[in-house]
């Protein structure tokens, strides 16, 4: 089994969930995240004062899948979370981790 953890833009969450649901992958965990990579934050203007926002809002999207489903699921997440056809800096990352076992509570 494999754990896929994707950090994506919050505006792309519904696109990713819809695409995965259509393909039959509906078991997910979603959480809020703050961070930055190559973006290095943003500069904003509030009441005439300029200030830097170091941590940008992202969404963490996790799911556990069978080994055979890895490539299609990664492609679905990548395609649904990209900005434009090639993607942009800040669109996110996908991490693939092995799962030793799953234990029901």
């Amino acid at each position: 089994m494999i754990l896929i953890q994707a950090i994506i833009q919050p505006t792309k969450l519904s696109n990713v969930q819809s695409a995965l649901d259509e393909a039959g992958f509906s078991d997910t965990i979603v959480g809020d995240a703050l961070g930055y990579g190559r973006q290095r934050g943003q500069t904003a203007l509030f009441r005439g004062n300029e200030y830097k926002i170091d941590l940008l809002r992202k969404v963490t999207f996790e799911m556990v899948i069978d080994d055979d489903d890895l490539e299609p699921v990664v492609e679905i997440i990548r395609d649904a979370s990209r900005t434009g056809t090639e993607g942009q800096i800040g669109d996110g990352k996908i991490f693939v981790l092995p799962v030793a076992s799953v234990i029901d509570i």
Side-chain angles (χ1 to χ4, degrees), residues 9-81:
Q9 295 282 349
T11 57
K12 297 293 184 173
L13 178 61
S14 62
N15 293 352
V16 173
Q17 284 181 317
S18 298
L20 287 168
D21 282 342
E22 288 176 17
F25 302 104
S26 58
D27 298 335
T28 60
I29 300 168
V30 177
D32 287 323
L34 294 173
Y36 69 88
R38 289 186 287 170
Q39 283 178 298
R40 299 288 180 215
Q42 294 177 342
T43 303
L45 192 65
F46 181 72
R47 295 187 179 177
N49 294 325
E50 189 174 284
Y51 63 98
K52 185 168 174 68
I53 301 172
D54 292 329
L55 300 175
L56 302 176
R57 185 169 179 268
K58 303 288 184 180
V59 172
T60 303
F61 185 88
E62 298 178 352
M63 59 190 315
V64 177
I65 58 169
D66 291 327
D67 295 350
D68 299 337
D69 296 327
L70 175 61
E71 291 303 320
V73 169
V74 168
E75 283 300 314
I76 290 168
I77 295 171
R78 181 184 294 146
D79 292 342
S81 60

